[in-house]
Amino acid sequence: MSAESLHLHGIEKIKTDFSYLLKLFKEMLESIGEKDLADGLPFEPSNRQLQADEKLAQAIGICFELLNLAEENAAAVFRRKSETQLGIESTRGSWGETLQQWKANKVDERLIALALQKINVTPVLTAHPTESKRLTVLDIHRELYLLLVKRENPNWSTAEQSVIKSEILSLMERWWRTGEIYLEKPRLEDERSNLMHYFLNVFPNAVRLSDQRLLDAWTSMGFSQNLLEWPEQFPAIQFGSWVGGDRDGHPFVTPEFTADTLRLHRESSLNLIKAELFNLAAKLSFSSYRNQLPQAFMEEIEATAQRLGSKGQQALDRNPSEPLRQFVNLLLVRLENTLSSPPEKNEKVYFRTSGELSSELRKLRNVLIALGATRVAKQWLFPIERMVQCFGFHLAKLDIRQNSAYHEKAISQILKASGNGDSDYANWDEDKRLTFINQELQSNRPFLVVGTSCGQEADNVLGYLREVKSYMDLYRADGIGSIIVSMTRSLSDLLVVHLLLREVGLQHARLPIVPLLETIDDLEAGPEIISAYLSHPQIQKQINKIDHFTQEIMLGYSDSNKDGGILTSRWTIYKAEERLTEAANKFGVKLCFFHGRGGSISRGGGKIHRFLDSMPAGSMSGQMKMTVQGETIANQFANRLTATYNLEMLLAGTARQTMISADNTPKDKLYGIMDNLVGSARKTYRELLDHPNFLEFYGKATPIDVLEESKIGSRPARRTGQRSLEDLRSIPWVFSWNQARFGKD
């Protein structure tokens, strides 16, 4: 079957599945007394005409969601058939296509293997207010998708198919009676619970399947098996979160909520690993009578059991004559100690870090290999080694984000409380700020006596940074992501964070301080800002001390679009990546770009592999972070196969782009033409926004008033509550224009 035939078959499948779901939906409506509504749905010919009302709007909305489910299932089926009939390389952006391209270009497989080990990507889940569906409804979507897949099994009997149909009807009725959208704003706890579902129930399986996809493609290309066998040879993937750490204009993210989130992440990750270790122990029923194990390994089991006391002896007694199970049982005891209590003086009875557990699992792997049980190690041990590598003891890294203007208020309050006569930091010019900061950075002393209250902003900033320190004192920095400074506009916006960290005793913690370049002007000034930052003595010390120092830079898609329009935004970001990379190269520093993209095109959205392929050549270091926001979380990761596909696109696309050198790109770039187009577009765009009557027009031409009142996120639509264009967040701005309906005479 040709690619075109497969495509047509996919379209036909969408029609068939949607027709089936629509038929059942109408049957459900009729069964609950809504026959007129069922007959009036505008998806099939009907003689009836209904007046628009809330019920009809809800019914039409559900029909579109059913169509989305049909399309998602058809896409998964299409990819399967395409790879079966056209080869594993037929899926655009996949590992198969990527490895095939490298092989065709005669790239040595050993260079490819080395490149894969340098890849490190981090999808960061956020709770930006872009998801209107209730969490309960999202769960119903997942269940319905699974039933849609389940009914495709040709071996079901008529009775079994009838049961599946009944389950679908029941789900649809639950959906109808539940309601589609939030009637009250979701709490932070609700948003966190939603993300925890993905971290615990989706991503572990998706990583496993994505790894298998890479391995299948590797084998299909005929590459050497020993170059891609164990977790350390696979691309690194970690996960991040903003829920509990993103406080830019979000008054409800308190220091206490940050601390609670960090604890929840840690406990959940340890319990996840614990469950996997139990499963592993069940598989390793190797008898000491039939397997000759190394004497050193047997002695270590005995020594560990003695250190663990009675619990250690119980671990041995549980599986006599099965030393591999005993070894895992002892790991479980140490993990229980890690989970149940803070670190103790005797470090051998618990794990300080996930790296220590990884070392123990590596010992077990080596024993299995020595026994000739490599197949068993790959089947049962590899998944848990990979899990520990990806999730650690922290599950997801929590980024801490705050606005530069908020930091200015905080430092002003701190200076005033400390008795500094000139405390109006927010109104100092840049030279005065830098002189002050540079002088202060020579000292390790804080401004304040512990416990001093300074004001709302200062108390909040210092409060959550103290919680970060408390966590790091116990568990180190693995669970902490980056300190992100929204609206970074100058060098002082970054350096002042070092003073705030000093105030809570984190001046030597080496936490990544990350500029977020959001407006067009800030993106254009970014290379100058980052050059000044990397050349600063404070950062030079870190560069000289840390091997392979990497500087993270976040790029804002929504705000730059709001500021300059879509074309200006995307072109400015493209050039910023090139110029930022050139600036960092002068210091021998690699950059990790953090792309703050959303779901719509105006927010940097679109297919992941196409997005990655659009990066400037030479700008990808192998490390990358990317936000996954609002409704795109469910769209990309709600179902196992879709989640696996999107992780594969992210990993393979990053690897593919990393292998492209800036030296291999044509030099006759048509930048002049693009600059002229962007200049004209931005001028016209700003004439509209800067018109004195624009706000009145905007309020009437778009549903911004409805969006501001909608219950689609815990965070306010405006940063400070002012009725101004500058204060309006970029996301409701984008959404309001997407819904605009007006014409020009």
Side-chain angles (χ1 to χ4, degrees):
M1 187 179 290
S2 66
E4 183 179 359
S5 297
L6 285 169
H7 178 69
L8 293 174
H9 182 270
I11 293 175
E12 195 59 37
K13 177 169 177 54
I14 293 172
K15 292 179 180 178
T16 302
D17 283 352
F18 179 56
S19 177
Y20 173 77
L21 291 172
L22 186 59
K23 176 185 175 183
L24 293 193
F25 182 54
K26 294 175 73 173
E27 182 178 330
M28 184 279 296
L29 288 175
E30 291 176 4
S31 72
I32 60 173
E34 298 285 357
K35 189 176 189 307
D36 287 344
L37 182 59
D39 290 341
L41 289 177
F43 291 90
E44 292 181 349
S46 172
N47 294 324
R48 295 175 179 267
Q49 290 187 348
L50 293 182
Q51 295 295 323
D53 61 12
E54 290 184 8
K55 283 187 177 182
L56 180 61
Q58 180 180 346
I60 292 174
I62 288 177
C63 288
F64 278 119
E65 293 293 347
L66 294 176
L67 179 58
N68 287 339
L69 290 174
E71 289 178 341
E72 188 173 356
N73 184 43
V77 172
F78 172 82
R79 290 193 294 268
R80 276 201 182 109
K81 290 188 174 181
S82 176
E83 291 188 2
T84 299
Q85 299 178 30
L86 304 178
I88 197 170
E89 68 277 8
S90 63
T91 298
R92 179 72 179 88
S94 66
W95 279 121
E97 184 198 47
T98 301
L99 295 181
Q100 176 63 37
Q101 287 177 354
W102 288 337
K103 183 177 181 180
N105 292 334
K106 302 188 184 305
V107 180
D108 188 282
E109 62 182 18
R110 289 167 296 183
L111 292 178
I112 297 174
L114 289 173
L116 293 180
Q117 295 176 36
K118 295 177 182 178
I119 303 303
N120 190 333
V121 301
T122 306
V124 180
L125 273 58
T126 80
H128 278 26
T130 58
E131 177 56 270
S132 60
K133 301 181 194 69
R134 299 175 58 188
L135 303 183
T136 301
V137 172
L138 291 174
D139 287 334
I140 291 173
H141 288 188
R142 296 181 191 114
E143 292 181 55
L144 191 54
Y145 175 85
L146 293 176
L147 287 172
L148 187 61
V149 174
K150 184 178 180 181
R151 69 178 289 270
E152 294 178 344
N153 188 335
N155 296 320
W156 295 126
S157 67
T158 303
E160 288 169 325
Q161 285 282 7
S162 178
V163 170
I164 294 173
K165 175 184 175 182
S166 178
E167 291 175 348
I168 292 176
L169 287 168
S170 178
L171 265 178
M172 286 179 171
E173 183 174 350
R174 280 175 50 202
W175 188 354
W176 177 257
R177 296 183 183 278
T178 297
E180 179 79 1
I181 62 175
Y182 285 112
L183 298 179
E184 297 180 358
K185 272 189 171 293
R187 302 173 304 154
L188 276 166
E189 290 81 0
D190 298 326
E191 293 174 336
R192 185 173 62 187
S193 295
N194 185 37
L195 264 59
M196 292 298 290
H197 164 79
Y198 293 96
F199 292 138
L200 295 173
N201 302 321
V202 176
F203 289 133
N205 288 329
V207 169
R208 192 172 304 182
L209 291 171
S210 177
D211 286 345
Q212 188 60 51
R213 293 275 302 168
L214 171 55
L215 195 57
D216 290 344
W218 188 268
T219 304
S220 177
M221 296 302 122
F223 292 159
S224 176
Q225 182 178 344
N226 61 12
L227 291 175
L228 192 69
E229 285 188 287
W230 306 110
E232 61 271 14
Q233 296 172 310
F234 280 69
I237 182 166
Q238 302 179 76
F239 297 91
S241 173
W242 273 15
V243 177
D246 177 17
R247 51 208 355 109
D248 179 10
H250 200 323
F252 308 122
V253 184
T254 62
E256 293 75 20
F257 191 80
T258 297
D260 186 60
T261 300
L262 289 168
R263 284 192 296 269
L264 177 64
H265 283 181
R266 178 176 170 82
E267 291 172 2
S268 299
S269 184
L270 288 168
N271 280 318
L272 185 66
I273 294 170
K274 177 182 171 184
E276 291 297 315
L277 282 176
F278 269 116
N279 292 335
L280 177 64
K283 309 301 179 185
L284 298 182
S285 53
F286 286 39
S287 169
S288 59
Y289 299 111
R290 301 181 64 86
N291 300 275
Q292 186 65 42
L293 282 94
Q295 184 61 31
F297 182 73
M298 300 296 290
E299 291 174 356
E300 182 175 343
I301 290 176
E302 290 293 336
T304 302
Q306 289 182 11
R307 282 196 302 272
L308 294 172
S310 59
K311 290 184 179 179
Q313 188 58 49
Q314 291 172 10
L316 298 186
D317 294 343
R318 193 175 304 123
N319 300 103
S321 304
E322 294 179 340
L324 297 187
R325 277 182 167 173
Q326 291 176 331
F327 182 83
V328 177
N329 290 343
L330 293 171
L331 295 183
L332 280 164
V333 174
R334 294 176 66 183
L335 196 67
E336 282 282 3
N337 292 340
T338 305
L339 184 61
S340 62
S341 60
E344 304 172 9
K345 292 182 180 180
N346 183 3
E347 297 178 353
K348 294 295 184 180
V349 303
Y350 70 97
F351 296 112
R352 288 185 306 166
T353 67
S354 61
E356 292 180 356
L357 175 57
S358 292
S359 296
E360 295 300 307
L361 294 173
R362 180 80 69 91
K363 291 178 186 176
L364 181 57
R365 183 210 302 175
N366 291 336
V367 169
L368 287 169
I369 293 173
L371 291 173
T374 303
R375 184 186 297 108
V376 173
K378 290 180 179 179
Q379 180 71 29
W380 304 111
L381 181 57
F382 178 98
I384 190 169
E385 284 195 85
R386 182 69 159 148
M387 177 182 287
V388 175
Q389 180 195 63
C390 296
F391 298 94
F393 287 172
H394 57 273
L395 192 66
K397 290 180 176 290
L398 187 68
D399 284 337
I400 307 295
R401 185 173 79 126
Q402 185 54 277
N403 195 285
S404 59
Y406 198 95
H407 287 159
E408 291 173 4
K409 292 180 182 178
I411 199 70
S412 296
Q413 292 169 357
I414 291 170
L415 291 177
K416 184 177 181 180
S418 67
N420 192 308
D422 187 1
S423 60
D424 192 11
Y425 177 90
N427 289 317
W428 293 357
D429 61 30
E430 181 68 2
D431 288 340
K432 184 174 181 179
R433 290 183 182 187
L434 291 177
T435 300
F436 165 74
I437 293 172
N438 289 334
Q439 182 179 350
E440 283 296 328
L441 288 176
Q442 304 302 313
S443 169
N444 276 331
R445 59 109 178 94
F447 290 109
L448 304 169
V449 176
V450 176
T452 303
S453 178
C454 308
Q456 179 179 347
E457 285 79 8
D459 290 350
N460 190 30
V461 170
L462 298 180
Y464 60 71
L465 290 179
R466 288 192 182 102
E467 294 296 350
V468 169
K469 184 178 188 302
S470 296
Y471 177 89
M472 289 177 60
D473 287 345
L474 289 174
Y475 311 121
R476 304 192 178 186
D478 287 349
I480 309 298
S482 307
I483 309 294
I484 301 171
V485 184
S486 297
M487 292 296 175
T488 297
R489 290 176 171 165
S490 63
L491 173 60
S492 64
D493 289 340
L494 299 177
L495 292 179
V496 76
V497 178
H498 289 269
L499 294 185
L500 296 171
L501 292 175
R502 185 190 71 178
E503 196 65 20
V504 300
L506 285 173
Q507 63 267 41
H508 302 303
R510 298 178 182 173
L511 289 172
I513 297 174
V514 177
L516 171 46
L517 307 173
E518 301 185 76
T519 67
I520 300 300
D521 290 343
D522 295 341
L523 285 164
E524 291 176 341
E528 181 182 347
I529 295 172
I530 209 64
S531 293
Y533 187 62
L534 293 177
S535 63
H536 193 275
Q538 189 79 3
I539 310 306
Q540 280 292 307
K541 292 177 185 177
Q542 295 185 23
I543 293 174
N544 294 331
K545 287 182 180 179
I546 301 174
D547 293 336
H548 310 296
F549 180 89
T550 301
Q551 174 64 43
E552 183 180 320
I553 299 176
M554 188 170 183
L555 306 173
Y557 287 73
S558 300
D559 275 287
S560 59
N561 165 60
K562 176 189 170 190
D563 183 38
I566 296 176
L567 181 63
T568 303
S569 167
R570 297 309 297 270
W571 180 238
T572 306
I573 288 174
Y574 183 92
K575 291 203 300 182
E577 289 179 81
E578 283 192 326
R579 295 176 59 223
L580 287 164
T581 301
E582 291 170 1
N585 286 342
K586 295 177 182 178
F587 297 92
V589 169
K590 295 292 185 182
L591 295 183
C592 171
F593 284 115
F594 185 177
H595 297 277
R597 65 195 293 260
S600 65
I601 296 298
S602 53
R603 297 176 59 211
K607 294 287 187 181
I608 293 176
H609 62 274
R610 291 176 182 168
F611 171 76
L612 293 170
D613 286 346
S614 71
M615 301 295 168
S619 66
M620 182 73 77
S621 66
Q623 299 190 51
M624 192 196 71
K625 292 173 69 174
M626 185 178 70
T627 55
V628 187
Q629 300 183 5
E631 80 288 349
T632 62
I633 299 175
N635 288 347
Q636 293 184 37
F637 299 112
N639 302 306
R640 186 183 62 173
L641 292 181
T642 307
T644 301
Y645 168 76
N646 282 301
L647 280 189
E648 181 181 359
M649 295 299 108
L650 179 58
L651 288 161
T654 302
R656 189 168 56 252
Q657 197 67 17
T658 301
M659 293 283 276
I660 299 175
S661 169
D663 298 332
N664 297 332
T665 57
K667 300 300 180 185
D668 56 340
K669 299 175 181 176
L670 303 178
Y671 278 26
I673 295 176
M674 280 299 299
D675 286 340
N676 287 335
L677 286 172
V678 166
S680 177
R682 188 183 185 189
K683 179 177 180 295
T684 304
Y685 179 78
R686 290 308 313 183
E687 285 176 354
L688 173 65
L689 267 62
D690 296 334
H691 191 283
N693 297 326
F694 173 74
L695 280 178
E696 180 183 358
F697 162 75
Y698 173 54
K700 293 179 179 179
T702 76
I704 183 59
D705 54 337
V706 177
L707 285 167
E708 288 192 80
E709 294 299 322
S710 62
K711 314 299 182 182
I712 58 176
S714 64
R715 192 173 68 168
R718 296 180 181 269
R719 280 190 164 90
T720 65
Q722 299 178 18
R723 299 293 299 180
S724 68
L725 194 61
E726 292 74 19
D727 198 56
L728 179 68
R729 289 190 177 278
S730 58
I731 294 172
W733 167 263
V734 169
F735 278 22
S736 63
W737 283 116
N738 284 347
Q739 299 296 321
R741 296 293 183 269
F742 65 93
K744 182 178 180 181
D745 293 334

